[in-house]
Amino acid sequence: MSSRPLPSASGPRALPPASIALMVLSALLALIAGSVVAASFPRAPAAPFRVLVYSGSALAPQDVVRAGVDAVRELGARNGFGVEASDDPGVFADAELARFHAVVFNNTSAAREEGSGLGGAGRAALRKYIRAGGGWVGLHDASAGARDWDWYEGLVGAVLDRGTPVQTGRIKVLDHAHPSTVALPDLWERTEEWYNWRTNPAGTVHTLAQIRVRDGITGLDEGVDHPWSWCQHYDGGRSWFTAGGHASSSFQEDDFLDHLLGGIEWAAGAKPGDCTGTRTGSFQRTPLTTSGLTDPVDMAVAPDRRVFVAQRTGELKVVDQRTMKVSTALDLAYTPDTAARSDGLIGLALDPGFGENNWLYLLRTDTSGRRLALSRFTADGDTVDPASEKRLLTLPGRRSTSSGHPRSSGSLAFDRAGHLYAATGDVTLPLTSGAPNDLRGAILRITPQDDGGYTVPEGNLFGPGTAGTRPEIYALGMPNPYRATVDPVTGTLLAADNGADGAVGHFRITEAGQAGRPYCTAGATRGAADCAPRVNGARDGAGEGGGGGTSGAVYAYEPGNLYRTKFPEYFAGKWLTYDPAGRRFTTLSFQREDQSFSDPRFGPVESGELQSVNGVFEDMEWNRPTAAVFGPDGALYVIDAGLAGGTGQDGGNEGAGVFRIDHVGDGRLPGAAVTTDRDNGSAPLTVAFTGAGSGLPRDVPVTYAWDFDGDGGTESTDANPSYTYRTEGQFTARLTVTGPEGTTAMAGQEITVGNSRPRVTVHRLPDGGLFRPGDTLAFTVEVTDDEDGDRTPVDCSRVLVRSAVGHPGPLRPLKNSPGCRGSIVTETGDASLPGPHRITVQYTDGGAPDAPELTGSTSLTLRTGFQEAEQFASTGGAHDGAVAGSRAEASAGRSLTEIEAGDWVAFDPVHLGSLRSVTVGATPCGIGGTIEFRAGSPDGPLLGSLPVPGAEGGDEAVSPSTALRSPGGGVRLYVVFTNSAWSSEKPDLFTVDWLRFHGPGAGQAGAR
């Protein structure tokens, strides 16, 4: 059993100017409330502090060892700290180590027990020293020892696997706040023996600098995320490591000495520095609301931390973090028909003076449903008066809702000078568009005025009065800019554009110009200067690493911000991007200044070029992130739009929510969660509440305070209380959870008394049913409303059907089929993608005299008869399940691989109906076996089975079939892989590419 402990909590414009800075990345990149006790750094030692340099059992040449000792001595003499040097392992005793604030392992692998390495007593002393708050510094070969000691591997952060030949490369310095890297250049050219790690430490430590592997360094095998220097809080102490220091000449380099000095000072506790920014688990996600949301697309956070949320369906919601109440501030009251053929509410921005004037700006479809409008409204508390509208701009033209296009979008953003940028894309525009007198497919820049009008600032693309142009245009050529943001410090405009062909471009724009298509396409210059992607001086469409598909925000670190869980300075100036489809977040770092290099392989780089792409929040699971902004508190706020097709019981998207992400470092916020047995009904209404899921890990004690009626009082301190509501209305029940350090978290739940949520049922289409592309899928909707009963007919105009059947992407309102019955005409060809296709139906009742209207909803999933095997819902089995691996010959480029006996994949839900058989596309690349189809579980009722031969008969793809027995309803369908002759010494069984079901399905003609 490993003795390695977890890290401890011991730290806290017309013609495009040549000067336009533009960066385009391909979408097909290689990869991709409360407060908390901040991680407090140990007290700075009284000057001068003392450092031990230990070189015993060093494997490096003696000149390198001596250079290391001399360098640390000189650093101590210049910076006022004491230095002692030793190669005697006897120094590792309690009394000796107690004299030092940090120990430097100088190119030594001295943790080995043999030779002059540390024995058992020395190991125990080092461990005790670290646990008492000591600091450790490791140079280069310090990562080479103690392969039998997991604790030491944890202290170092990683153990050397193998080195490369000495060669020149560059290092990407990611952290410009830590004392060991604050003075280093963005790209640091070095000649080194580069190290591969037995286990990549990325995520378990805070990476300060990475190797730029695409410089052509031979022998590296860690991928683009290859740490070179890092730090961490570990088992009570502080650990800092650099892979530099291979040659004695390193210790003569000013940059390396600065690097080493900062590491020593941090490890000794003499200088502060965050060492958690890139470590997994350093951020905590708090849900602010996870109910009542339908297609949320944009958000903004007010100075008082209220969160405004724009929904494409036309509602502007407000989440008050003080009370956890969620209000509908404005409802544009789109009809189902309007929702089906227009963009809806797509953009939101608060005026820079919102705290005083309460002005907010919306980009949305107007009442005609055929135009896009940019208007200013005035908020009054948590409501917005529609009569306060001041319209600034109206854009002509109806936008496309064709399934061949992605959802059109746009966004709003202010810069520090008060200019408002409006991204007004239109995916119906051809790729050769960019008319200078068309406000669509552009980013506009205007200056709003107090009277509700606007002026055009100097420096836009076309000067005022230029014939055939619109002066509001700042940048042309982006048909679907989703979305734009402004760097709050530099004022640089950043935008992401999603093209109709699926390509994604990221643009960094410092002056007006023609920034997108057709001006910059595939690295070709078409009327613009230098349109090709530039990555570290080289034209490289793939870039380094991977980037998300949507522009997020740029963090402006404010030292005076007292919010204790604000993001650390590491993130200052980094561009946060996210990928709704890939469900991940990344940070993009840019060159801060021009650089040139001595190695002729490396061309010069310019300020503003992409330097690095790195993942973040990789321990958090997302459904479809659609907006991310930093609040005035330094926390990140994120909209997750939920599953592409799901709805919740309350009419909101399944999995949709508004979240706040706090930087907790090595600490932890208490969690708060509220569940109820009911949240609506007639009075009197008794509700059972539970705080299950609240609290802190490891049963750390917390207290509960419940405010059921929203009056600010505390009605209960139980963990699982009940409460009876006797007055009709809508109430926000709030739970406050307090931890032992006074840290708090809150959660809220809306309770409606006097109205019951309508129940919605879809008939004729079974959940999990299969259809054939081109089928017409008819359905009927039944609505039951307890208050209306049988006396009042259901208002079918209030039924909204939204569907993703037969086209890729998120749900879209169903045209020409509003109401209680309708049909979906599925598309043929490539538009009908294999995989799950979702339908949602929702109905909003008329409310009650003293209670608001409520929305009920349901959803179902349909599938095409042809299924890609890798699009399973889950996998598992005796050997951890199958893997979706890349295979060039596969139908979609991927197949199920690493299939061993007992593994399975599941598809859920599946309604076989009267399907009669199934064919499987497989490749006999292993020993072969049997594929079983079972209902409900891996050992559930057998519905059919078929054999797949082994590779001895050839490796040509096969397609065996079997009859299927229907289980009589919807099931979780398990596909189980078996072969009793398999063992761990034998190859895998086979690979599976696809499944095709035969027989009548959900469509008129059935699946085949």
Side-chain angles (χ1 to χ4, degrees), residues 221-249:
D221 57 15
E222 300 287 344
V224 296
D225 191 5
H226 193 132
W228 186 83
S229 178
W230 56 79
C231 60
Q232 61 174 323
H233 301 284
Y234 181 79
D235 202 16
R238 299 170 303 280
S239 166
W240 182 90
F241 175 80
T242 179
H246 162 73
S248 59
S249 58

Side-chain angles (χ1 to χ4, degrees), residues 33 287-288 320-326 732 734 746-748 750:
L288 301 182
D320 190 331
Q321 294 192 73
R322 297 168 299 181
T323 65
M324 301 308 293
K325 181 179 181 180
V326 182
T732 299
R734 181 182 64 183
M746 292 186 294
E750 298 291 339

Side-chain angles (χ1 to χ4, degrees), residues 440-637:
R440 300 168 302 166
I443 297 179
L444 317 180
R445 186 177 67 155
I446 61 176
T447 307
Q449 301 297 299
D450 291 352
D451 62 0
Y454 69 89
T455 59
V456 176
E458 293 184 359
N460 277 6
L461 184 55
F462 306 111
T466 304
T469 68
R470 291 293 297 264
E472 296 91 345
I473 296 175
Y474 184 75
L476 271 180
M478 283 167 278
N480 202 30
Y482 194 115
R483 72 189 49 245
T485 190
V486 176
D487 185 322
V489 175
T490 68
T492 299
L493 176 66
L494 303 163
D497 178 65
N498 293 349
D501 58 354
V504 176
H506 283 68
F507 301 85
R508 184 178 184 275
I509 305 171
T510 58
E511 294 186 14
Q514 296 163 324
R517 299 184 177 190
Y519 313 106
C520 310
T521 304
T525 297
R526 300 181 184 178
D530 196 18
C531 290
R534 294 180 62 83
V535 181
N536 290 336
R539 297 176 183 266
D540 182 358
E544 174 98 8
T550 304
S551 170
V554 179
Y555 182 51
Y557 177 77
E558 297 182 10
N561 181 355
L562 299 180
Y563 188 67
R564 296 165 72 187
T565 55
K566 65 187 176 187
F567 270 47
E569 191 175 1
Y570 167 84
F571 289 90
K574 297 186 188 297
W575 184 14
L576 185 76
T577 67
Y578 50 95
D579 182 356
R583 302 183 297 177
R584 59 180 177 261
F585 282 79
T586 55
T587 58
L588 276 64
S589 302
F590 299 98
Q591 284 288 130
R592 298 173 301 165
E593 57 186 25
D594 299 347
Q595 280 189 255
S596 58
F597 307 94
S598 61
D599 193 302
R601 296 176 301 156
F602 309 144
V605 296
E606 299 177 0
S607 173
E609 290 185 18
L610 179 66
Q611 183 239 19
S612 184
V613 181
N614 301 96
V616 66
F617 319 137
E618 294 183 337
D619 56 328
M620 299 182 187
E621 294 185 359
W622 303 91
N623 295 309
R624 192 159 48 99
T626 59
V629 300
F630 285 102
D633 49 13
L636 182 71
Y637 293 80

Side-chain angles (χ1 to χ4, degrees), residues 480-835:
N480 202 30
Y482 194 115
R483 72 189 49 245
T485 190
V486 176
D487 185 322
V489 175
T490 68
T492 299
L493 176 66
L494 303 163
D497 178 65
N498 293 349
D501 58 354
V504 176
H506 283 68
F507 301 85
R508 184 178 184 275
I509 305 171
T510 58
E511 294 186 14
Q514 296 163 324
R517 299 184 177 190
Y519 313 106
C520 310
T521 304
T525 297
R526 300 181 184 178
D530 196 18
C531 290
R534 294 180 62 83
V535 181
N536 290 336
R539 297 176 183 266
D540 182 358
E544 174 98 8
T550 304
S551 170
V554 179
Y555 182 51
Y557 177 77
E558 297 182 10
N561 181 355
L562 299 180
Y563 188 67
R564 296 165 72 187
T565 55
K566 65 187 176 187
F567 270 47
E569 191 175 1
Y570 167 84
F571 289 90
K574 297 186 188 297
W575 184 14
L576 185 76
T577 67
Y578 50 95
D579 182 356
R583 302 183 297 177
R584 59 180 177 261
F585 282 79
T586 55
T587 58
L588 276 64
S589 302
F590 299 98
Q591 284 288 130
R592 298 173 301 165
E593 57 186 25
D594 299 347
Q595 280 189 255
S596 58
F597 307 94
S598 61
D599 193 302
R601 296 176 301 156
F602 309 144
V605 296
E606 299 177 0
S607 173
E609 290 185 18
L610 179 66
Q611 183 239 19
S612 184
V613 181
N614 301 96
V616 66
F617 319 137
E618 294 183 337
D619 56 328
M620 299 182 187
E621 294 185 359
W622 303 91
N623 295 309
R624 192 159 48 99
T626 59
V629 300
F630 285 102
D633 49 13
L636 182 71
Y637 293 80
V638 177
I639 288 177
D640 190 328
L643 300 173
T647 62
Q649 179 186 17
D650 59 0
N653 284 25
E654 179 184 347
V658 177
F659 301 88
R660 188 189 68 242
I661 299 179
D662 294 281
H663 173 244
V664 297
D666 292 309
R668 187 73 182 172
L669 280 169
V674 177
T675 56
T676 64
D677 63 339
R678 67 199 65 190
D679 64 3
N680 62 93
S682 58
L685 179 68
T686 299
V687 180
F689 293 87
T690 176
S694 302
L696 285 163
R698 297 180 292 276
D699 297 323
V700 173
V702 297
T703 61
Y704 298 83
W706 294 86
D707 175 9
F708 298 118
D709 54 11
D711 64 356
T714 298
E715 282 80 47
S716 177
T717 58
D718 294 338
N720 304 302
S722 63
Y723 184 80
T724 300
Y725 293 86
R726 305 187 183 278
T727 304
E728 293 185 349
Q730 189 170 60
F731 306 88
T732 299
R734 181 182 64 183
L735 167 63
T736 303
V737 180
T738 304
E741 301 292 335
T743 59
T744 63
M746 292 186 294
Q749 173 67 52
E750 298 291 339
I751 305 295
T752 301
V753 185
N755 188 21
S756 299
R757 194 179 309 282
R759 298 180 295 279
V760 181
T761 306
V762 177
H763 297 288
R764 300 181 65 184
L765 288 179
D767 191 20
L770 288 90
F771 69 94
R772 182 184 62 183
D775 285 348
T776 297
L777 311 178
F779 62 89
T780 60
V781 177
E782 178 186 358
V783 177
T784 303
D785 192 297
D786 290 346
E787 279 70 34
D788 293 342
D790 296 329
R791 301 185 304 273
T792 305
V794 168
D795 183 356
C796 289
S797 67
R798 286 178 170 262
V799 173
L800 176 61
V801 181
R802 304 167 74 227
S803 171
V805 172
H807 61 73
L811 285 175
R812 303 173 185 179
L814 186 62
K815 297 175 61 176
N816 305 320
S817 289
C820 299
R821 64 178 61 247
S823 60
I824 302 171
V825 180
T826 65
E827 297 186 12
T828 59
D830 293 339
S832 295
L833 301 176

Side-chain angles (χ1 to χ4, degrees), residues 60-71:
Q62 283 302 301
D63 66 316
V64 178
V65 175
R66 288 194 300 270
V69 173
D70 293 343

Side-chain angles (χ1 to χ4, degrees), residues 883-945:
V883 173
S886 297
R887 291 292 185 272
E889 69 278 6
S891 65
R894 305 179 78 193
S895 293
L896 292 183
T897 65
E898 298 189 24
I899 298 174
E900 299 170 339
D903 288 340
W904 53 262
V905 296
F907 298 85
D908 186 38
V910 174
H911 193 290
L912 296 176
S914 56
L915 294 175
R916 304 185 184 97
S917 62
V918 62
T919 302
V920 175
T923 300
C925 55
I927 67 170
T930 301
I931 300 178
E932 300 176 343
F933 296 85
R934 295 184 176 270
S937 69
D939 56 358
L942 181 65
L943 309 179
S945 65

